Amino acid sequence: MIKKTKGLLSIINDTKVSSEERRNALSQMLGKIGKHSSIGNNFTCQCGKHIFIGEMTIINNNCMMMDENHIYVGNRVLVAPNVQFYTANHDVYFENRFVEEWNEASGELFFRTQALPIIVEDNVWIGGGSIILSGVTIGRGSVIGAGSVVTKSIPANCIAVGNPCKVIKWLKPQYKIRALEEKDIPEMMILFRSTLLNINIRDYTHEEIEDWVSCGNKTERWKELMSHNQYFGAFDKNDCLIGFSSMNKDGYLHSMFVHKDYQCKGVATQLLSEVEKIAKKWGVKEITSEVSLTARTFFEKHSYKIERIQKRKANKLELTNFVMRKILFPEKE
C-alpha cells in the first residue's frame, strides 16, 4: 500500500499532469474523496487508503497526512496550507519505545508505535501551520487558529487556538441558560456544596471548605441572595443544573459555581457572557467580584484584573480571595 501510494503521489505532485490525471490518481490513492473536494500541491501521506475526505472540502498546499490509522475529514472543511496530521504516537518512556534485546532476524521493528484515528467533523476550518495529533476529534463547525498544536479533542462550535490548543470562544451556545427562581434553590444548594467539596478543596483547607459550605445550608439565605442579585443557571440536555452565576445592578458579580463534572467545558464562559450582557443592559460600566483562589485564572483569562488580595469571612473563618475588576465601557479620551 505504501509503495503504491508513493507512485501515485509522484503523479499528484507533478505540476505537469492534467487535472483529470491528478483526480484519477487521488481517487485511486485515497479511501474516499468527495465531489468538488480538492487537495493542493506538495501533498504527503503514507498509506493513502486510510484517508477519507467528504464533499466540498478544500485541503491547501503542503498538507501532510501521516495515516498509519484512519483520518476522516468531513464535508465543507477548509484546511489551510502547511497543516500536518499525525496519527502515530510513541510511549513517553524510552524503555517502552524500543524493543529490548531486539533481534534483527526477527522481522519485528526495533521500536514501538501506536496509531489512533483523527476525525475532523463537518464545517471545520483549520488555520495554517496547525498540527493535529493522534486520537483527536475536532467538532463540527469549530475553528482552529493558525499555528495551533491540537493535542486533545476540540468540541463543536468553538474557536480554539494555541499550543496546546484550547477553546477561547464559543460560536454557539452549548448549554441552555435561563434566569433562576426560588424553585431552583434546592438544586443550587446541592451544586454549591458539591463544587466546593470537589473543586475548591484543591486550594483551601478542609476546615475552610466546611466553613464555606455552611454558608449555603439554609434556604432563607439563598432567598435573601436572590432578592439582591439576578441569578442565571446553565442546564444540560437533561435539564439538570450544571452551573450558576449572578449579577446585581451595582455591577457586583456575586457567584460563579460549575458542577464538578462540567469543569473546563465552557459552562463558566457562557454564564459569564450572560451576566456581563445583563450588566451592560443595566448600564453598568465596571464589574467587581470577590474571586476565589480556584477561579482566579479563569477570570484573568476573561480580562478581569486583580485589585487586591484579601481575607474574607465566610461563616466563622476568614478565607483568602481576590477583589477583581473588569471595565465594560472604558471612558473615551
Side-chain angles (χ1 to χ4, degrees):
M1 188 191 298
I2 293 172
K3 184 178 179 180
K4 182 179 179 182
T5 294
K6 284 181 179 179
L8 291 168
L9 282 171
S10 67
I11 298 172
I12 290 163
N13 292 320
D14 185 349
T15 57
K16 296 179 182 179
V17 302
S18 67
S19 57
E20 184 178 351
E21 288 178 293
R22 193 171 190 276
R23 183 73 184 186
N24 287 337
L26 280 170
S27 297
Q28 291 180 54
M29 184 180 73
L30 301 179
K32 175 192 173 184
I33 181 167
K35 190 176 181 181
H36 304 303
S37 293
S38 64
I39 295 177
N41 296 326
N42 300 319
F43 178 68
T44 302
C45 65
Q46 190 160 15
C47 298
K49 285 296 182 183
H50 293 163
I51 299 170
F52 300 83
I53 298 170
E55 307 290 329
M56 295 184 285
T57 286
I58 299 173
I59 297 175
N60 218 313
N61 296 339
N62 304 315
C63 179
M64 177 185 289
M65 291 188 169
M66 302 306 289
D67 59 323
E68 286 92 336
N69 206 315
H70 292 166
I71 298 175
Y72 300 96
V73 181
N75 303 316
R76 299 177 300 279
V77 173
L78 301 180
V79 178
N82 303 307
V83 174
Q84 302 165 58
F85 297 79
Y86 298 123
T87 62
N89 197 2
H90 307 285
D91 198 286
V92 295
Y93 296 101
F94 74 87
E95 298 92 342
N96 298 329
R97 282 199 297 272
F98 293 93
V99 178
E100 190 175 356
E101 299 179 357
W102 175 70
N103 181 0
E104 184 177 1
S106 68
E108 300 288 335
L109 292 172
F110 60 84
F111 60 92
R112 298 185 178 97
T113 302
Q114 179 189 37
L116 299 171
I118 293 173
I119 301 171
V120 180
E121 296 182 350
D122 295 348
N123 302 316
V124 166
W125 172 24
I126 302 176
S130 295
I131 298 173
I132 319 299
L133 298 187
S134 64
V136 160
T137 295
I138 300 175
R140 179 184 178 90
S142 286
V143 176
I144 305 300
S148 295
V149 179
V150 187
T151 60
K152 295 182 179 180
S153 293
I154 301 298
N157 300 312
C158 70
I159 299 175
V161 301
N163 178 10
C165 190
K166 295 182 179 179
V167 176
I168 62 166
K169 182 179 180 180
W170 294 99
L171 298 174
K172 290 184 179 180
Q174 299 297 296
Y175 309 101
K176 177 184 175 182
I177 304 290
R178 67 166 173 82
L180 296 177
E181 306 170 25
E182 287 189 4
K183 67 179 182 179
D184 299 304
I185 288 176
E187 207 170 354
M188 294 169 67
M189 293 171 68
I190 293 170
L191 189 148
F192 171 76
R193 179 183 180 86
S194 174
T195 303
L196 293 181
L197 292 173
N198 290 279
I199 304 301
N200 296 83
I201 193 67
R202 301 168 187 169
D203 301 291
Y204 294 91
T205 68
H206 179 76
E207 291 74 19
E208 288 173 328
I209 290 296
E210 286 295 335
D211 188 69
W212 192 354
V213 166
S214 69
C215 296
N217 286 340
K218 295 182 179 180
T219 302
E220 292 305 315
R221 173 57 179 159
W222 289 97
K223 290 181 179 179
E224 181 187 355
L225 288 171
M226 281 190 160
S227 69
H228 295 96
N229 303 278
Q230 175 67 69
Y231 277 81
F232 290 93
F235 294 82
D236 66 10
K237 61 183 180 181
N238 297 317
D239 207 32
C240 295
L241 183 69
I242 57 173
F244 65 84
S245 186
S246 64
M247 177 65 64
N248 67 28
K249 292 187 177 181
D250 294 325
Y252 180 67
L253 192 158
H254 179 270
S255 55
M256 177 69 76
F257 293 96
V258 174
H259 192 282
K260 64 181 179 64
D261 296 335
Y262 284 85
Q263 298 287 314
C264 303
K265 294 185 178 180
V267 178
T269 298
Q270 197 171 334
L271 282 169
L272 186 61
S273 175
E274 191 66 32
V275 296
E276 287 183 354
K277 189 189 302 181
I278 194 70
K280 289 178 182 179
K281 287 182 180 179
W282 288 338
V284 171
K285 294 186 177 181
E286 68 178 47
I287 295 175
T288 58
S289 186
E290 293 171 283
V291 175
S292 69
L293 294 168
T294 313
R296 170 187 173 176
T297 302
F298 168 78
F299 279 93
E300 285 181 324
K301 287 180 179 178
H302 289 82
S303 303
Y304 284 75
K305 306 296 182 185
I306 295 174
E307 295 284 303
R308 66 182 184 275
I309 188 170
Q310 66 176 12
K311 290 285 187 178
R312 176 73 164 177
K313 193 171 184 180
N315 190 2
K316 297 178 181 179
L317 301 180
E318 290 189 340
L319 279 60
T320 301
N321 66 21
F322 302 92
V323 176
M324 301 187 75
R325 181 175 69 152
K326 179 177 180 178
I327 305 296
L328 292 184
F329 303 103
E331 296 292 337
K332 294 183 179 179
E333 297 181 357

